[in-house]
Amino acid sequence: MTTESEEKISPPNFIRDIISNDISENKHDNIITRFPPEPNGYLHVGHAKSICLNFGIAEDFKGVCNLRFDDTNPEKEEQEYIDSIRQDVEWLGFHWETNPSASDYFDQLYSYATQLIKKGLAYVDSQNADDMRSNRGSLTEAGKNSPFRDRSIEENLQLFVDMKNDKYSDGEHALRAKIDMSSPNINMRDPVIYRIRHATHHNTGNKWCIYPMYDFTHCLSDAIEGITHSLCTLEFEDHRPLYDWFLDKLETPCHPQQIEFARLQLKYTLTSKRKLNQLVQENIVDAWDDPRMPTISGMRRRGYTAQSIRAFSEIIGVTKKDSTIEMGVLENCLREDLNKRAIRRMAVINPVKVIIENYPEDQEEMVTGKNHPQDPQFGTREIPFSREIYVEQDDFMEDAPRKFFRLSPGREVRLRFAYYVTCKEVIKNDDGSIREIICTYDPESKGGKSPDGRKVKGTIHWVSAKHATTASVRIYDRLFNISNPAKLDDFHNALNPDSLITLDNAKLEPSIETVRQPLAYQFERLGYFIADTHSTNETPIFNRTMSLRDSWAKIEKEQNNS
RNA sequence: UGGGCCGUCGCCAAGCGGUAAGGCACUGGGUUUUGAUCCCAGCAUGCGUAGGUUCGAAUCCUGCCGGCCCAGCCA
C-alpha cells in the first residue's frame, strides 16, 4: 500500500518562478488563482493540466484557488456540466473555498459597463453583425469606425438601459468598448462587451436579456475575486492588452496578472470540447464518460487513478511552447501508480480448456497466491485448483518457436502458484479449432517448485473451470488511428474501428469482486482492470485500464518480420 | 507582406554568460513463480540557422529560416 502523506512540491516552471519573485518582492499578501471552466461540456485531460497547475500553485504557495464557472453564454451552458465539473475537480483531489460563477457578478458587471459609457469609453453600436465584421478590417487592413461610434454619453446610457430592459431584439444593438479601430491587434478594434440574447440562463434564469462577453467578464471577475495570477492558455495572449485595458480604465479592487501557457495536446487524441461533444452526439462513443474518452470522467471510468493524472500533469511541465505529448508518458504514469496499488488476481480472457488427466476427477484443493509480488502488506489468498482449468489461448501454440516459454506439445510450464504441467495432446473440433488440451501434472511441484529443482522457464495464469466466474471484458484502444486528429476537419475517417473489443467469455478467479471496487486489480500477465460502473454480480463487466508492458509482443513481431 | 508567441536528443523538459540535468521512448545486461516489476549501463563536441560581442555564448546582439495563434454579438 502507498502512503500519500509526504508533501510533494511540484517542479519549478516559469509561472512558479514569476510567482516566487512576486512573493519575494512582497507584491501580494497571499496567492489566489482560479480555474475558470465554461460549463458547456465535460472536463478533459487538458483541463486536468490546468487544474493541477492552478490548484497546485495555490497549495504550494499556501494560497487558494477558486473554482469559477465562466458562464456568460446561456445558450451553451447547463447544470449537468456544472455537476460534472465539480465532481471531476474533487475527484482529482483538489478543494476550493469558493465556487462562484461569473453570472454572480452580472449586476457589478453591468455597473462597470455603465461606468465605461460615462467615461466615454464605450458606446452602443447599432450596426448589424455583418457590417460590424466588414468594418473590422482584416489582418493587414485597419478597420473603419462605426457610424454610431460618436453617440453622446447620454444617448449611450439610455440605449444601454433600454437594452437591459428588453426593448430590443437579439442583435439589434451591442455595447462596444471604444478603443482603436486601426489597432494591429484585432481584439482592440472596439470589441463587443455586451450583446442582447433572449435566453434562459441556468443560474440567473430570465433576469437578463443582455450578457457580457468573455474579455469584459473575465478580467473583472478576476479583479472582484482578488485573483493575483490569472493563468490561461496561449491563444489568449493577444487578449492580454484588452484584459489590462479594462482593468486600467475601471476602478477595480486589484489588477491581476494574466500569464499564458501552452495547452496540453496528446498524440492520437482530441481535446476539444466541441469535437468530444460531437463524438457523444453521434453515438460514436456511449457518453462523455465512455472509457475511451480523454475526459476526466471517461478516464475515471476506465480505471485511471487521480494520482496518475496528477503525476502526469506534473511531469509534462509548463511552458509556452506548443507541444504534443506522446501517449507513452501518460501510460507510464498510470502503470507506475497502478503497479504499486493494484491487487493481483488471475483471469483468463480468451479461455481454452485444459484437462489434467492424472489429477483425480473428484479432487479439488487450494493453492496460495500472493496478492502483490513485492508488497507483503497486500497479503495472500487461497485459490481453488481442480482437474479442469482454463488457460489463455495465446499461451498455447502447436508449433512453437524455441523462445516460446509457454504451453506447447511436450513442453512443461508452471501454472502460477500451483503445479508444473506438461502438454500431452491437443483435441480439436471438426473445424480444426482447439477443443481442449490434455496435460499431466507433477504432484511434487505444488506451489510452483519441484524438489529436484529443475528449471521451468514459463509461468502461465489459469482459472479453475468449475470455480470460475464468467464476465464480459472490454479491451480499449485509441479512438483515432492518426497521431493528430485535431488537425482534421472531419475526423470520421480517422476513427479506429478496434477502439473497443468486447470479450464475453472471460473466466475470473472467484475472489474477484464484480461490482466496482475502490482498488484496482491487476489480472496477472494481462494488465490492469477495474469493474465498470455498470458492472453487477449478475452481469460482471471489466474494463481493461491498461495493458502490462509486453516485451514478448516485440520479440514475436520481430520474428514475423524476419 | 499587420500583430502576438515559440524553436535544447524521437517526444517532453532543465538551463538565466563559465563549458548540455531529468523523464518517456529506444538499445544492451542482471534479478524474477507475471516475457510484469525492479536494478545496472548506453543514448546531444552540441542547443533552428548565419554572423557578431566576449578570455568564454544554449544563455547577450543582429539578420534569416521554420512553426503556432488572432478578423464570433463563443470562451
Side-chain angles (χ1 to χ4, degrees):
Chain A
M1 315 265 170
T2 54
T3 49
E4 281 135 40
S5 52
E6 312 97 67
E7 284 276 323
K8 284 185 302 187
I9 297 295
S10 301
N13 56 52
F14 80 101
I15 295 178
R16 285 168 180 271
D17 291 345
I18 291 171
I19 295 175
S20 295
N21 281 332
D22 288 350
I23 287 172
S24 59
E25 288 170 16
N26 289 314
K27 278 197 192 169
H28 308 288
D29 292 334
N30 62 319
I31 299 303
I32 308 180
T33 56
R34 101 272 91 114
F35 172 63
E38 183 188 11
N40 66 343
Y42 281 62
L43 264 22
H44 55 62
V45 251
H47 295 110
K49 175 182 178 182
S50 179
I51 292 167
C52 291
L53 213 214
N54 279 292
F55 281 92
I57 281 172
E59 278 180 4
D60 291 351
F61 288 97
K62 309 266 183 285
V64 296
C65 178
N66 296 347
L67 171 61
R68 179 169 76 231
F69 293 115
D70 215 339
D71 56 351
T72 55
N73 186 355
E75 288 164 320
K76 288 187 177 171
E77 295 148 6
E78 291 174 26
Q79 188 61 41
E80 177 193 350
Y81 300 132
I82 288 186
D83 297 338
S84 73
I85 289 167
R86 287 192 181 123
Q87 184 188 6
D88 289 348
V89 174
E90 245 172 352
W91 177 74
L92 281 172
F94 294 108
H95 310 285
W96 57 82
E97 277 169 37
T98 44
N99 177 204
S101 291
S103 54
D104 296 338
Y105 310 135
F106 280 174
D107 285 306
Q108 287 171 84
L109 260 12
Y110 178 81
S111 149
Y112 277 126
T114 302
Q115 282 179 44
L116 230 35
I117 296 172
K118 286 180 178 161
K119 287 171 182 264
L121 294 172
Y123 62 97
V124 173
D125 194 353
S126 307
Q127 294 182 102
N128 61 39
D130 287 342
D131 290 341
M132 204 182 284
R133 189 183 318 116
S134 52
N135 285 332
R136 187 151 32 229
S138 71
L139 295 179
T140 50
E141 300 165 279
K144 294 191 194 73
N145 284 172
S146 165
F148 304 96
R149 198 173 197 259
D150 294 316
R151 289 214 255 232
S152 71
I153 289 174
E154 292 67 33
E155 190 185 358
N156 281 319
L157 246 18
Q158 188 56 52
L159 250 12
F160 190 47
V161 169
D162 289 344
M163 279 169 64
K164 183 185 88 152
N165 290 338
D166 200 4
K167 299 255 174 74
Y168 305 111
S169 53
D170 290 2
E172 219 176 323
H173 304 284
L175 184 70
R176 290 230 255 172
K178 191 188 281 190
I179 307 180
D180 178 6
M181 287 307 289
S182 62
S183 171
N185 181 347
I186 292 179
N187 294 301
M188 300 300 272
R189 319 241 262 230
D190 290 10
V192 169
I193 57 180
Y194 260 94
R195 79 283 210 183
I196 302 170
R197 194 107 315 166
H198 288 81
T200 302
H201 188 278
H202 68 89
N203 185 28
T204 59
N206 294 316
K207 179 177 175 189
W208 298 87
C209 64
I210 58 172
Y211 291 93
M213 301 288 287
Y214 165 83
D215 286 304
F216 183 69
T217 308
H218 205 89
C219 55
L220 292 168
S221 302
D222 283 346
I224 290 166
E225 292 173 20
I227 301 299
T228 54
H229 303 270
S230 181
L231 315 181
C232 62
T233 44
L234 252 27
E235 67 270 26
F236 291 103
E237 219 153 14
D238 289 342
H239 294 243
R240 194 170 65 233
L242 227 200
Y243 184 101
D244 291 329
W245 189 88
F246 287 122
L247 295 179
D248 287 340
K249 301 300 179 191
L250 291 163
E251 282 157 38
T252 56
C254 64
H255 188 140
Q257 181 182 4
Q258 174 177 305
I259 306 170
E260 309 85 9
F261 63 94
R263 70 179 333 136
L264 168 67
Q265 293 182 98
L266 259 186
K267 293 228 165 117
Y268 297 98
T269 102
L270 237 34
T271 41
S272 141
K273 277 196 268 185
R274 206 195 94 241
K275 288 180 179 171
L276 293 177
N277 188 227
Q278 198 182 341
L279 291 170
V280 177
Q281 295 308 321
E282 296 179 14
N283 293 314
I284 293 165
V285 297
D286 296 343
W288 282 98
D289 73 343
D290 185 299
R292 291 167 293 179
M293 290 282 269
T295 51
I296 304 209
S297 53
M299 293 168 86
R300 178 170 60 234
R301 183 171 162 198
R302 164 94 165 242
Y304 275 81
T305 57
Q307 290 83 353
S308 68
I309 295 174
R310 289 177 64 152
F312 172 71
S313 299
E314 207 137 88
I315 211 168
I316 57 176
V318 179
T319 66
K320 289 174 79 85
K321 187 168 108 186
D322 280 304
S323 61
T324 306
I325 312 289
E326 290 177 347
M327 273 302 224
V329 180
L330 213 206
E331 292 172 357
N332 184 257
C333 290
L334 218 209
R335 288 194 179 112
E336 202 169 71
D337 189 48
L338 252 15
N339 178 50
K340 282 183 297 186
R341 61 202 331 144
I343 190 166
R344 269 59 172 181
R345 287 293 183 265
M346 289 196 288
V348 176
I349 59 175
N350 282 303
V352 58
K353 186 168 278 185
V354 170
I355 295 173
I356 301 160
E357 62 179 4
N358 61 336
Y359 194 92
E361 283 198 40
D362 52 355
Q363 185 174 317
E364 55 183 76
E365 65 184 305
M366 302 302 266
V367 297
T368 303
K370 286 183 182 177
N371 291 332
H372 192 290
Q374 279 83 231
D375 190 345
Q377 288 185 74
F378 278 79
T380 60
R381 68 193 185 282
E382 297 300 297
I383 310 162
F385 183 83
S386 64
R387 184 177 151 96
E388 296 192 4
I389 61 174
Y390 293 111
V391 303
E392 214 65 64
Q393 285 172 23
D394 285 349
D395 286 337
F396 175 82
M397 200 182 269
E398 231 179 326
D399 298 302
R402 175 157 256 97
K403 284 184 148 181
F404 184 80
F405 308 134
R406 307 179 190 182
L407 211 53
S408 187
R411 295 194 192 178
E412 184 172 50
V413 298
R414 172 167 38 236
L415 295 175
R416 174 138 241 229
F417 302 129
Y419 292 98
Y420 291 175
V421 292
T422 303
C423 176
K424 293 297 179 192
E425 193 183 356
V426 187
I427 314 279
K428 294 188 175 175
N429 297 307
D430 293 341
D431 64 1
S433 61
I434 296 171
R435 186 199 308 200
E436 54 197 34
I437 299 164
I438 309 296
C439 293
T440 57
Y441 85 118
D442 174 2
E444 299 291 300
S445 64
K446 184 167 184 182
K449 43 181 172 265
S450 62
D452 64 6
R454 70 181 183 273
K455 290 273 189 292
V456 172
K457 179 78 179 163
T459 300
I460 65 174
H461 59 277
W462 54 275
V463 172
S464 168
K466 82 161 85 154
H467 301 93
T469 304
T470 300
S472 174
V473 161
R474 292 171 183 171
I475 306 295
Y476 301 104
D477 196 0
R478 53 175 67 123
L479 255 178
F480 297 97
N481 275 328
I482 67 161
S483 68
N484 191 357
K487 270 271 179 261
L488 265 31
D489 296 322
D490 179 0
F491 57 66
H492 291 84
N493 290 329
L495 285 165
N496 174 11
D498 301 320
S499 62
L500 167 63
I501 291 171
T502 301
L503 303 167
D504 285 319
N505 192 33
K507 302 297 181 184
L508 313 181
E509 184 187 323
S511 63
I512 293 170
E513 304 267 5
T514 51
V515 293
R516 183 84 172 198
Q517 297 294 303
L519 254 194
Y521 285 117
Q522 183 196 102
F523 291 171
E524 296 213 28
R525 304 209 304 135
L526 295 176
Y528 298 100
F529 290 77
I530 196 156
D532 187 72
T533 44
H534 300 311
S535 179
T536 63
N537 287 329
E538 290 68 41
T539 54
I541 302 167
F542 279 82
N543 296 325
R544 187 174 73 182
T545 309
M546 185 54 56
S547 63
L548 257 29
R549 272 200 191 80
D550 186 358
S551 56
W552 167 246
K554 271 180 210 164
I555 296 168
E556 206 175 23
K557 206 174 175 183
E558 281 163 16
Q559 286 181 341
N560 289 341
N561 290 343
S562 60

